[in-house]
Amino acid sequence: MNPSTGPGRGASLRGARAMALATAALWLCGAMLPPAAAAPEAQRPIKLGAVSALSGPHAFPESSQAAKAYLDAVNATGGIRGRRIEFISLDEGTSPATAAAAASRLVNDPEVVALAGSSGLLDCAVNADRYAAGGLMSLQGASVSPVCFTASHVVPLNNGPYIGLASAVLFARQTLRSGRLCAAVMDLPGMVDGFRRALGQLAKVKAIEVPQLQVLAPEQDPTELLRAMKVQACDTVIFTGHEAAVLRWSEVAQALGTRGMTSIYLTPAYTDRVARALATHDGAVYVMAEFEPWKSRSLPSQDWRRLMQEARLPLSSLSQGGYVAAQMLVRALRQVEGPITRETVTRALQQMPPSSHPLLGMPFEIGHRRAHNPNRAALPLKLQQGNWYIATPAWIEVPELLAP
């Protein structure tokens, strides 16, 4: 047998050939892979968070739940550059300590790049400085505390109660031509001063007469206050309460016989439940919607409504706020070139040009401001036969009232 073609020689050649192929394959794979430092990032999820009132007597979790529903839909279509979004939704609880602990968990995690859909009573007051120090932007679905509207790293997507009250006053004065306008606000922590400041600024900027505020404690019977308004012959009354408070307020008003008195409520009253309960109410009833009416037949509204129904979430301004907050943050994430970090996401949000959104009444912009209230447009709706209808074709835009 020729030794050059013997079994030993053939096996040697086959082994050498296999080793060469393996070496070439390893080299090729190495050339095609991104740098070692980038490979783990491409596989890690993009972390977003929220701190909201998920429990307790004043819980309103719909905003963060709506944000999660939208982010889940983004994940279902491939995420951001193939990376899944991990959403960490935390409860602010019922104490400042709990709210601080929730925010600290997110701020101290360097992989959390931004927050979306937060909504609570304590979060801003307790954590606004913490977010600023950590360079963490929070696009909130429903902001309440005045601090939310005066903080550098908190961006409310809703009007908020202060702009809401101001828009109701403008509507009452300029459209309804109210001559004896009265207003009552809920005495929740820190809010009364915010209401007074907003009205003071509105009177100065618009040169109009604003009503003197009357205050109602959360558990207070509104009978005496409504009786006093009846004696004052108020032709229009603005009430800033949440849904349950509005239902109690209107029931007492009916019992007192406030016939002919026009009622204006803020966006928390813009629900089917309120519409059904007040269907036979004496006097005109209006609400100030902060977003495109949720019964709108526009394609964007249909997409939002479908997503909320699939997630079994209520159709309300709260869920609209969380949805829009998450959507605007995803827009920013998709504009980031290079690594997606807290710094690059913050920069993308700040550099985003004024952007129209079909659910908003004005272009959305963050910029490099020290305070934010980008959604200052409200659309009045009127209750007719148990349904809400657009009362005026034009949005009412309010100037920035709380910015320092």
Side-chain angles (χ1 to χ4, degrees):
M1 179 180 290
N2 188 334
S4 64
T5 58
R9 176 65 174 167
S12 176
L13 287 173
R14 286 194 299 274
R17 191 179 299 115
M19 182 175 293
L21 288 173
T23 302
L26 286 172
W27 179 89
L28 182 61
C29 288
M32 294 176 66
L33 283 173
E41 178 189 357
Q43 299 168 8
R44 293 197 303 267
I46 299 170
K47 288 186 180 182
L48 305 178
V51 177
S52 305
L54 304 181
S55 63
H58 301 294
F60 45 109
E62 294 93 330
S63 289
S64 58
Q65 291 171 340
K68 182 181 185 303
Y70 178 78
L71 297 173
D72 286 345
V74 171
N75 283 336
T77 57
I80 306 293
R81 300 183 204 163
R83 293 177 64 185
R84 183 178 65 85
I85 297 172
E86 179 183 341
F87 187 58
I88 306 168
S89 179
L90 303 179
D91 189 2
E92 70 172 20
T94 57
S95 72
T98 308
S104 294
R105 175 180 163 187
L106 298 174
V107 171
N108 294 337
D109 184 346
E111 293 190 357
V112 175
V113 298
L115 309 184
S118 297
S119 58
L121 297 176
L122 300 174
D123 180 39
C124 291
V126 174
N127 297 318
D129 290 343
R130 188 173 280 104
Y131 296 143
L136 187 64
M137 295 293 286
S138 175
L139 273 63
Q140 297 206 333
S143 296
V144 177
S145 168
V147 179
C148 299
F149 304 93
T150 60
S152 63
H153 282 64
V154 176
V155 184
L157 266 296
N158 61 325
N159 288 176
Y162 318 104
I163 290 292
L165 175 60
S167 66
V169 169
L170 287 177
F171 174 61
R173 291 294 194 208
Q174 298 177 349
T175 302
L176 300 182
R177 303 296 179 184
S178 170
R180 297 187 64 84
L181 178 61
C182 298
V185 301
M186 295 291 288
D187 187 14
L188 294 173
M191 292 185 64
V192 175
D193 287 343
F195 284 123
R196 287 180 175 144
R197 179 181 173 189
L199 286 190
Q201 289 290 92
L202 181 68
K204 180 179 178 180
V205 172
K206 291 292 187 179
I208 63 171
E209 182 183 356
V210 297
Q212 183 177 358
L213 287 184
Q214 303 188 59
V215 178
L216 185 73
E219 304 304 324
Q220 181 181 343
D221 184 339
T223 301
E224 291 305 315
L225 183 52
L226 275 163
R227 186 175 286 123
M229 289 180 170
K230 185 177 179 181
V231 171
Q232 296 166 23
C234 303
D235 59 10
T236 305
V237 174
I238 300 170
F239 180 52
T240 68
H242 51 72
E243 184 190 57
V246 165
L247 293 173
R248 185 172 69 248
W249 175 276
S250 62
E251 182 181 359
V252 173
Q254 285 291 88
L256 291 175
T258 55
R259 185 179 299 276
M261 183 184 290
T262 294
S263 300
I264 304 177
Y265 302 113
L266 303 191
T267 197
Y270 176 32
T271 67
D272 273 337
R273 185 183 176 197
V274 170
R276 290 192 301 268
L278 275 61
T280 59
H281 190 86
D282 290 332
V285 177
Y286 297 90
V287 292
M288 308 302 295
E290 299 178 343
F291 302 95
E292 174 81 4
W294 40 258
K295 286 192 175 181
S296 168
R297 296 185 180 276
S298 68
L299 288 177
S301 290
Q302 290 180 32
D303 178 71
W304 162 77
R305 187 161 46 247
R306 175 191 56 78
L307 197 60
M308 296 303 102
Q309 290 171 342
E310 289 177 356
R312 297 183 179 180
L313 295 176
L315 302 180
S316 68
S317 292
L318 289 173
S319 57
Q320 283 180 314
Y323 170 88
V324 175
Q327 199 169 56
M328 299 310 293
L329 182 52
V330 166
R331 283 190 191 182
L333 289 171
R334 287 176 170 154
Q335 291 175 5
V336 173
E337 296 181 359
I340 296 176
T341 66
R342 188 176 296 184
E343 292 73 21
T344 59
V345 173
T346 297
R347 190 179 310 121
L349 287 168
Q350 293 172 336
Q351 294 178 352
M352 184 184 295
S355 305
S356 62
H357 191 289
L359 298 187
L360 298 176
M362 61 186 294
F364 174 85
E365 183 183 12
I366 295 177
H368 294 272
R369 295 180 178 86
R370 290 186 301 152
H372 309 280
N373 202 170
N375 179 10
R376 303 185 308 280
L379 192 64
L381 305 180
K382 185 175 184 179
L383 182 62
Q384 293 179 313
Q385 298 177 338
N387 291 288
W388 297 111
Y389 294 93
I390 295 175
T392 61
W395 292 75
I396 296 175
E397 188 172 326
V398 176
E400 294 188 61
L401 301 176
L402 295 180

